């Protein structure tokens, strides 16, 4: 069964291995994290945990049968809204993992974090991610760009007033 687990200190090694193993795969559709991310991963992970502790963001790992399959984040929690971000491993792609994780995150966002709506961003060359958002009730809200690549901003109300 797929679970979203809040990011913890003991996830560091698995998250780093996940990011390294999938770096080339992710770079096809999202901006690369760069070498500095990997070189200074320990302090970056600690900073994420501190940011999570402050309540500004909520970071999660996507786990199924004890295996880390992805990451899912709720960023910039403020005024009842947050930005949703997610990534799943190449091995897990096409199996509905992202769709199920985003569905779980929508429930978690409303029930545990008291959010009324979520925003998301996808590049136009990432149709799989766009399908995940559509399947979870997100609607295109605006054209934009990410590192010069055409993109869409998405929105989903979680409550009637969202």
């Amino acid at each position: 069964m797929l679970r979203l687990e809040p990011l913890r200190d003991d996830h560091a090694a698995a998250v780093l291995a996940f990011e390294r193993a999938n770096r080339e795969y992710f770079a096809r559709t999202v901006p690369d994290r760069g070498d500095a991310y990997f070189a200074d991963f320990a302090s970056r992970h600690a900073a994420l945990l501190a940011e999570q502790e402050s309540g500004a963001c909520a970071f999660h790992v996507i786990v199924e049968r004890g295996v880390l399959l992805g990451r899912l984040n709720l960023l910039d929690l403020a005024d009842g809204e947050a930005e949703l971000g997610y990534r799943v491993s190449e091995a897990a792609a096409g199996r509905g993992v992202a769709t199920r994780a985003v569905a779980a995150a929508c429930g978690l966002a409303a029930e545990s974090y008291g959010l009324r709506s979520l925003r998301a961003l996808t590049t136009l060359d990432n149709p799989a991610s766009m399908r995940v958002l559509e399947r979870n009730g997100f609607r295109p809200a605006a054209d934009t760009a990410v590192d010069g690549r055409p993109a869409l901003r998405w929105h989903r109300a979680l409550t009637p007033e969202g």
Side-chain angles (χ1 to χ4, degrees):
M1 183 169 127
L2 182 130
R3 292 186 330 273
L4 295 181
E5 295 180 4
L7 186 66
R8 301 183 313 256
D9 187 50
D10 65 329
H11 286 133
V15 171
L16 179 57
F18 165 82
E19 291 289 347
R20 281 186 174 146
N22 291 283
R23 184 176 183 182
E24 288 181 30
Y25 171 66
F26 295 143
R28 293 181 210 154
T29 55
V30 297
D32 184 61
R33 294 192 184 276
D35 292 338
Y37 174 86
F38 297 94
D40 196 26
F41 182 81
S43 63
R44 174 70 182 138
H45 189 75
L48 291 177
L49 293 173
E51 191 173 9
Q52 180 168 267
E53 183 67 27
S54 78
C57 296
F59 303 105
H60 301 84
V61 292
I62 303 166
V63 178
E64 189 171 54
R65 293 185 205 110
V67 177
L68 192 149
L69 299 179
R71 300 178 69 180
L72 187 141
N73 305 317
L74 298 172
L75 308 170
D76 303 325
L77 282 81
D79 301 322
E81 293 188 329
E83 180 93 13
L84 170 71
Y86 55 91
R87 52 178 56 199
V88 299
S89 69
E90 185 171 20
R95 296 187 357 216
V97 170
T99 299
R100 289 182 285 138
V102 169
C106 289
L108 187 67
E111 295 163 18
S112 296
Y113 300 112
L115 300 176
R116 294 183 313 276
S117 67
L118 292 174
R119 301 175 311 276
L121 182 68
T122 61
T123 55
L124 295 185
D125 60 356
N126 192 347
S129 190
M130 289 189 277
R131 282 191 302 276
V132 166
L133 293 173
E134 287 173 343
R135 288 178 182 141
N136 279 286
F138 284 79
R139 297 293 170 247
D143 293 330
T144 189
V146 174
D147 286 350
R149 295 157 74 171
L152 276 176
R153 182 154 297 284
W154 297 77
H155 180 266
R156 177 179 170 187
L158 301 172
T159 63
E161 59 275 359

